[in-house]
Amino acid sequence: MAEDSLLNFVKKFLSNSGYPLEMQVARTFRRKGFVVEQARSYIDVKTDALREVDVLAYSSSASSLYPGTGWAELRLVLECKHSDKPWLIHRRR
């Protein structure tokens, strides 16, 4: 019986955290050909505290604007949070 309550506790904890979303985001970026790192640590320069980024995603390719002249690289730093309220992301053009 104690094993069942521990399992239920863990399931509830995970469902209320950003971890399932982090795994889904990382998996999606990998499927799209990105190199992905999860749980990457860094030192916060303002507080000197050790912190963690949920997902880093990298993609690079030859520049299509001027072929043969260089590479273009996209680096994304993603923080995954759980929320009962939906979030909306706006993109500027």
Side-chain angles (χ1 to χ4, degrees):
M1 198 61 141
E3 193 172 311
D4 286 342
S5 64
L6 177 60
L7 181 60
N8 288 334
F9 173 80
V10 170
K11 284 181 179 179
K12 184 176 180 184
F13 174 80
L14 288 175
S15 69
N16 289 327
S17 76
Y19 185 72
L21 177 60
E22 175 186 332
M23 296 302 290
Q24 182 180 3
V25 166
R27 186 172 41 251
T28 300
F29 275 99
R30 279 189 186 100
R31 286 182 185 152
K32 296 294 183 182
F34 281 73
V35 174
V36 175
E37 292 182 48
Q38 288 179 257
R40 176 80 179 266
S41 297
Y42 69 96
I43 303 276
D44 184 325
V45 295
K46 290 184 180 179
T47 64
D48 228 18
L50 187 63
R51 304 219 185 267
E52 187 177 277
V53 171
D54 291 333
V55 179
L56 296 174
Y58 309 92
S59 179
S60 60
S61 62
S63 173
S64 60
L65 292 176
Y66 304 101
T69 61
W71 288 82
E73 182 167 287
L74 176 63
R75 293 180 178 216
L76 300 168
V77 180
L78 304 152
E79 191 68 24
C80 302
K81 299 291 181 202
H82 174 268
S83 175
D84 293 330
K85 298 176 183 159
W87 287 40
L88 181 62
I89 298 174
H90 295 276
R91 189 177 91 176
R92 290 185 180 192
R93 291 186 184 253

